[in-house]
Amino acid sequence: MPRPTPSSALNRLRVLDLSRVRAGPTCVRVFADFGADVIKVESPPGFDPNENMSGPRHGYDMQNLHRNKRSLTLNLKTEGGAAVLRKLIESADLLVENFRPDVKERLGLDFEALHALNPRLILVSISGFGQSGPYRTRAGFDQIAQGMGGMMSVTGLPGQGPVRAGIAVADSAAGLYGAIGALVALQERAVSGKGQWVQTSLLEAQIAMMDFQAARFLVEGQVPPQAGNDHPYSTPMGVYATRDGHINIGVGAEGHWRSFCGAIDRPDLAADPRYDNMEKRFKARPELRVLIEAILTTQDSTHWLAAFEAAAVPAGPIYAVDAMFDDPQVQHLAIAQPVSHPVLGDIRVIGEPVGLSRTPASVATATPEAGEHNAEILGELGYDEAAITRLRDSGAI
């Protein structure tokens, strides 16, 4: 496989990645895929009792999260390791971390200390619950944030009890919000010349992702209930049974409703006084579902998807992951990006879902081995072979 060319969009930036698990690495991956020099700073193997929280080094999660980076192993509890990090900080643009606030302070990585070393540095801190407040020292995990952030209360079938989302919504959202904040801070630094502290948390990100459901309470005082696969206030919008499975239907406006009725060969329903506006259809949703599914179960999903497409009615299949990647539009978008790994061979990972016309993202290199770039990075910092040997012998790298 030919080696892809790294993106040039952010190649002037150096990013220090002191994060792990998912939220922090998701943030850093944006910069890595757009060409920044990302140095993944991690403990030497065997020093960190929680080093496998993201799974095995050659596992799918690590490969998807940490491509396009260089790896430097540092034991920050040694003076030698801490000294190397200080040298790195002096020339870095961003430092991304997701330590608990109290741990960060013990390690001397609080914003005041970092700002003293490099006034242009932008520190991105992603925590479970925030850098201040009564929960600041609590460890945060995605599912805990999903529960506290309201998502589990609106997910699942009515009366089912709380249900987690099938993906790490809070982790991923916090990482992306962290990246947005960092990009804003970089733009501001171009004017002021000064770095600043970017903060987000799993809890804040999850509440922000609740979006209209949270606004429903804030603006109107309504506590949104579970709605299962139905849209909270539009119908028919949700999952409907066909003869051979299920499809998604999205009738979000009156024009869609008229087109939908024509597509299922029931144009009379469009003017039926029981269903002739969204409010009436919502109140009659149970009986309307029975009526619609009695029609849809007479034909296969492919028949209805073609009929709805011809009528410009929003609808789509419900894929398992293998079928998702077989879809012609998904293949056209090239979201599954190839990369060559020295042990795993040619594999695919998820590419950036943002296209740029001149400087697109690129998956150029696979996730490095722990410490793979120790000599290279330390050499750039001015350490000769003897100094590197001393650092290794002291347990600093």
Side-chain angles (χ1 to χ4, degrees):
M1 178 189 299
R3 181 170 174 172
T5 303
S7 175
S8 62
L10 300 177
N11 62 8
R12 300 166 305 284
L13 298 179
R14 169 166 284 185
V15 181
L16 304 183
D17 179 10
L18 273 68
S19 68
R20 58 183 179 179
V21 189
R22 186 169 318 283
T26 297
C27 172
V28 175
R29 182 173 58 189
V30 174
F31 293 91
D33 288 355
F34 281 104
D37 176 21
V38 175
I39 298 175
K40 177 175 170 55
V41 179
E42 51 192 323
S43 294
F47 279 83
D48 182 354
N50 298 316
E51 66 183 20
N52 293 320
M53 287 181 68
S54 295
R57 191 82 181 187
H58 294 160
Y60 60 88
D61 210 10
M62 287 287 288
Q63 295 304 311
N64 193 50
L65 281 170
H66 296 287
R67 72 285 184 103
N68 289 335
K69 300 179 183 180
R70 298 193 289 170
S71 172
L72 172 67
T73 52
L74 291 179
N75 184 349
L76 298 181
K77 295 180 181 179
T78 67
E79 177 50 39
V84 172
L85 181 61
R86 287 193 293 271
K87 279 183 173 287
L88 282 170
I89 289 168
E90 289 172 0
S91 62
D93 295 285
L94 297 175
L95 187 152
V96 180
E97 57 84 20
N98 56 359
F99 296 113
R100 291 201 324 265
D102 56 324
V103 173
K104 173 168 64 258
E105 291 161 4
R106 284 204 306 271
L107 290 172
L109 298 175
D110 55 279
F111 178 69
E112 289 73 17
L114 297 177
H115 189 70
L117 284 171
N118 179 356
R120 290 177 54 82
L121 181 74
I122 293 165
L123 171 63
V124 181
S125 294
I126 304 174
S127 60
F129 302 98
Q131 298 297 311
S132 59
Y135 300 164
R136 69 185 293 269
T137 60
R138 289 188 184 181
F141 286 93
D142 176 82
Q143 185 160 341
I144 296 170
Q146 285 194 32
M148 293 180 67
M151 184 162 186
M152 292 174 68
S153 73
V154 298
T155 304
L157 299 172
Q160 182 178 7
V163 177
R164 68 180 291 274
I167 59 171
V169 178
D171 269 340
S172 297
L176 293 174
Y177 282 124
I180 292 170
L183 290 167
V184 171
L186 284 165
Q187 180 65 21
E188 192 280 335
R189 191 185 71 176
V191 177
S192 69
K194 298 177 182 179
Q196 58 183 305
W197 190 7
V198 176
Q199 305 171 35
T200 189
S201 68
L202 273 61
L203 182 58
E204 291 167 282
Q206 180 59 80
I207 293 171
M209 292 300 289
M210 288 290 287
D211 197 46
F212 72 91
Q213 293 282 46
R216 187 174 174 182
F217 172 75
L218 291 176
V219 176
E220 299 183 353
Q222 297 182 29
V223 178
Q226 290 172 306
N229 289 317
D230 285 319
H231 191 274
Y233 54 78
S234 295
T235 198
M237 184 177 287
V239 176
Y240 287 81
T242 66
R243 185 164 65 185
D244 65 342
H246 297 82
I247 60 173
N248 272 314
I249 297 171
V251 175
E254 297 309 319
H256 291 154
W257 172 243
R258 292 189 290 272
S259 298
F260 175 81
C261 293
I264 64 173
D265 201 23
R266 286 294 306 273
D268 58 296
L269 291 176
D272 190 312
R274 296 172 297 173
Y275 315 126
D276 61 2
N277 65 46
M278 185 65 74
E279 184 179 357
K280 292 179 181 179
R281 291 195 297 276
F282 185 79
K283 289 180 180 178
R285 181 153 66 184
E287 66 182 68
L288 191 56
R289 171 176 286 279
V290 172
L291 188 158
I292 291 171
E293 288 194 332
I295 298 169
L296 297 183
T297 51
T298 64
Q299 299 286 348
D300 290 349
S301 296
T302 53
H303 169 88
W304 292 117
L305 291 172
F308 294 142
E309 182 176 359
V313 175
I318 300 173
Y319 288 145
V321 173
D322 55 349
M324 173 187 75
F325 283 116
D326 283 339
D327 184 276
Q329 182 64 25
V330 175
Q331 293 185 354
H332 170 77
L333 293 170
I335 192 74
Q337 288 285 299
V339 66
S340 182
H341 189 280
V343 175
L344 300 173
D346 293 342
I347 60 174
R348 294 186 299 166
V349 294
I350 306 300
E352 288 294 333
V354 179
L356 274 69
S357 60
R358 289 189 297 102
T359 56
S362 172
V363 179
T365 58
T367 295
E369 298 301 300
E372 180 177 330
H373 302 97
N374 280 2
E376 177 180 295
I377 296 169
L378 290 169
E380 293 170 1
L381 293 175
Y383 289 85
D384 59 20
E385 289 188 18
I388 294 172
T389 298
R390 287 194 296 271
L391 286 171
R392 186 177 299 111
D393 291 344
S394 70
I397 63 173

